[in-house]
Amino acid sequence: MPLVVLCGRPGSGKSRRAAELREALGGPERPAHVVAEAEGGRAELRAEVERRLSRRDVVIVDAGNELRSIRYELYCAARQAGTARCVLHCAGGAGGPDEPPFEEPEPSCRWDRPLFTVRGEEPLPLGPIRAALFESTPPPPHRATRTQPLQSCGFLHQLDRVTQDVLAAVLAAQRSGAQPGETIRVPGVAEGLVLSRPVSVAELSRLRRQFISYTKMQPSDENLPQLASMFLQYLSRSIQ
């Protein structure tokens, strides 16, 4: 049932570490599965992780998971399943000019902890990883929603408004003649969105619903300043 989320730049040794973890954590009574990045992109990876999560299996995500929003989605999947999890950061490697920027995991963010970091040929910290996965008590699903109802209501209102504003900006830019490859700017957000193709209202609305369904699992005021950026990152990764 536990989930191990690997992250790191290309060439940092993620696949090798995933194989090591599978050998170390799996066994006859506790299968370990490695879920790698697929052609279907972010949505297919997330769906495969959710399908693999069970009461006894270990799921190891061998992917870049370079954006906070991706790691947050996997955090929500584990929280919903009621399973322990950890993040293994494979430091090093070098991203090419076409690679998305890598957002370093931060132990202060709940979706990035417990966080373990390995560099080069350093041995895996298997003892602490096992303790995090097999000896800790995972939080129950939706605990934050139950214990912070007033905060959650305000969060969900803001989530709805921010995502509507982002979609409005994207649609307005397309109506104004923005071409694939151009950067679409959203007022008040430093980063932009570069689309590889035109996107319909129906597709944008579907992606917005998906983003909301994952994000509302963990309503928290600490995420409010990042909602627009997280949604832009989600759109960037989901629109291929």
Side-chain angles (χ1 to χ4, degrees):
M1 193 172 185
L3 178 67
V4 183
V5 177
L6 276 70
C7 67
R9 294 182 172 87
S12 60
K14 295 185 297 297
S15 294
R16 174 170 60 87
R17 298 300 191 174
E20 292 178 20
L21 286 169
R22 183 176 185 178
E23 180 70 20
L25 301 178
E29 298 183 359
R30 189 171 60 209
H33 308 281
V34 174
V35 178
E37 284 183 294
E39 292 183 359
R42 178 174 180 168
E44 185 172 324
L45 176 73
R46 184 179 64 242
E48 179 66 10
V49 169
E50 292 173 342
R51 187 179 71 84
R52 290 283 188 179
L53 284 174
S54 70
R55 290 193 176 276
R56 63 191 183 101
D57 296 11
V58 177
V59 179
I60 303 163
V61 184
D62 176 15
N65 296 318
E66 62 277 349
L67 299 179
R68 297 187 192 96
S69 57
I70 302 175
R71 300 193 294 271
Y72 180 75
E73 287 179 13
L74 296 173
Y75 164 83
C76 289
R79 184 70 183 268
Q80 180 67 14
T83 182
R85 56 175 292 285
C86 71
V87 174
L88 178 65
H89 176 206
C90 298
D98 297 329
E99 296 291 337
F102 180 71
E103 297 178 344
E104 298 274 347
E106 300 178 3
S108 60
C109 295
R110 63 186 183 277
W111 56 85
D112 281 338
R113 64 176 187 256
L115 174 63
F116 305 98
T117 301
V118 291
R119 296 175 175 82
E121 300 301 319
E122 289 180 354
L124 288 172
L126 291 174
I129 288 176
R130 287 193 180 98
L133 297 178
F134 306 129
E135 300 174 17
S136 63
T137 302
H142 302 302
R143 182 178 62 180
T145 304
R146 292 198 302 269
T147 58
Q148 300 174 8
L150 296 178
Q151 181 186 51
S152 299
C153 290
F155 179 88
L156 294 177
H157 175 76
Q158 185 76 349
L159 174 64
D160 181 76
R161 186 186 67 79
V162 167
T163 52
Q164 287 280 23
D165 290 347
V166 170
L167 254 61
V170 174
L171 291 171
Q174 290 190 132
R175 286 195 298 269
S176 298
Q179 299 298 311
E182 294 183 13
T183 300
I184 296 175
R185 297 292 179 184
V186 176
V189 184
E191 59 194 283
L193 173 66
V194 178
L195 297 177
S196 59
R197 58 175 174 81
V199 188
S200 67
V201 176
E203 183 175 3
L204 286 170
S205 298
R206 176 179 59 82
L207 292 172
R208 175 178 175 268
R209 289 193 299 270
Q210 290 177 353
F211 178 78
I212 288 176
S213 70
Y214 278 98
T215 307
K216 72 180 182 181
M217 291 180 185
Q218 292 294 321
S220 173
D221 286 348
E222 71 183 60
N223 290 334
L224 288 177
Q226 305 177 28
L227 284 177
S229 294
M230 291 171 64
F231 186 37
L232 284 171
Q233 293 167 5
Y234 183 85
L235 292 176
S236 178
R237 293 285 296 180
S238 300
I239 299 171
Q240 303 296 327

